[in-house]
Amino acid sequence: MSARRDFFRDIYRNRAAQYDRLVAREDVHGNLFGALSEITPLAGLDVVEFGAGTGRLTRLLSVTVARIFAFDVEPAMLSQADAALRISGMTNWRLALGDNARLPVASACADLAIEGWSFAHVIGWYPDDWLARADSMLAEMTRILRPGGTAVLIETLGTGRRQPQATDKLARLYRHWRERHGFASRWIRTDYQFASPDEANELTRFFFGDALADECLAEGEVMLPECTGIWWKRMP
């Protein structure tokens, strides 16, 4: 198991509540929902979500879609998501354990298959065969989508950046999605807005590391810029 995978697995298993506090501060301007709505009308859709984590996307979509089935491999993350979704008052959601390459759902069951900040983990977690693993996840999306359904991938283009900038391996993965699989793409800003300098320091440092926190949060900053990419493809 890679050191990168160990780092994130520790957070996802043991610090889910702190992680949820972090992502609750993301996308202060609400750009993500608008961008997704432009890609495909969301009202009335049956949705399957890969790598749901603490349910940030699940909560965002549940107010509009017909049903959303959200999966993650970490029980602690799903427990956090369950608590937040129950408070939301929405009832059109279900959570379950599931691996991104093998979800326990029927074929052709969804109008929208979506993942957020999950698929690209294969680069750091499985350095020997990450591209093949990424393809297996896309194949699983294709399996569960109905004809005319839409696959949507949401991944980082740089935290701490005001313009998109991917690392070399991320750029290779994103190019593969476009050139090999025919995904269209765009990018948006999903900046973090923290409640205080202390919160900004705590939540940024624990997840993104000291270097980024030191660079971006000098002199009491409470805003952390971020660029996010969205890739999508409509099934025939």
Side-chain angles (χ1 to χ4, degrees):
M1 185 179 292
S2 72
R4 195 67 175 161
R5 186 177 184 182
D6 286 344
F7 172 80
F8 283 112
R9 280 286 171 86
D10 176 66
I11 290 174
Y12 298 154
R13 290 175 176 174
N14 302 310
R15 304 175 75 176
Q18 190 176 22
Y19 173 83
D20 194 50
R21 288 175 55 216
L22 170 68
V23 298
R25 298 304 190 186
E26 192 177 16
D27 192 23
V28 62
H29 300 298
N31 293 329
L32 183 56
F33 185 85
L36 294 176
S37 299
E38 290 174 7
I39 289 168
T40 186
L42 299 172
L45 298 186
D46 290 331
V47 180
V48 171
E49 182 184 357
F50 293 61
T54 58
R56 179 180 178 279
L57 275 179
T58 321
R59 282 171 264 175
L60 186 71
L61 295 172
S62 66
V63 299
T64 302
V65 303
R67 296 183 300 171
I68 182 164
F69 297 90
F71 297 89
D72 200 272
V73 295
E74 294 295 347
M77 298 290 269
L78 291 178
S79 178
Q80 189 73 33
D82 182 80
L85 283 158
R86 288 182 185 278
I87 293 172
S88 76
M90 303 304 298
T91 59
N92 60 341
W93 52 272
R94 297 292 183 273
L95 304 175
L97 291 169
D99 182 271
N100 283 341
R102 297 180 301 278
L103 292 187
V105 294
S107 298
C109 68
D111 306 302
L112 173 64
I114 190 167
E115 68 89 14
W117 301 274
S118 179
F119 281 14
H121 271 314
V122 296
I123 292 174
W125 291 12
Y126 304 104
D128 295 330
D129 62 345
W130 61 266
L131 195 57
R133 287 179 180 269
D135 280 351
S136 71
M137 296 175 185
L138 290 186
E140 184 68 347
M141 278 192 162
T142 300
R143 180 186 72 82
I144 68 173
L145 281 169
R146 295 168 180 150
T150 304
V152 173
L153 317 171
I154 304 167
E155 296 290 348
T156 185
L157 281 172
T159 303
R161 302 288 182 182
R162 289 177 168 81
Q163 292 293 320
Q165 182 177 340
T167 64
D168 289 345
K169 285 188 176 179
L170 282 175
R172 180 183 170 193
L173 176 62
Y174 301 159
R175 186 167 57 250
H176 181 73
W177 286 344
R178 293 192 304 269
E179 297 177 359
R180 175 67 179 84
H181 293 284
F183 279 74
S185 64
R186 62 174 293 188
W187 71 276
I188 59 173
R189 287 281 293 271
T190 53
D191 299 349
Y192 293 82
Q193 175 74 59
F194 298 102
S196 68
D198 285 345
E199 184 186 70
N201 184 67
E202 174 205 346
L203 296 179
T204 299
R205 200 171 295 278
F206 106 94
F207 192 78
F208 296 114
D210 292 337
L212 187 143
D214 291 341
E215 175 185 354
C216 298
L217 299 177
E219 300 180 1
E221 287 288 334
V222 296
M223 176 78 75
L224 179 66
E226 181 177 71
C227 296
T228 292
I230 307 174
W231 293 259
W232 71 92
K233 180 180 179 180
R234 190 175 302 277
M235 297 297 112

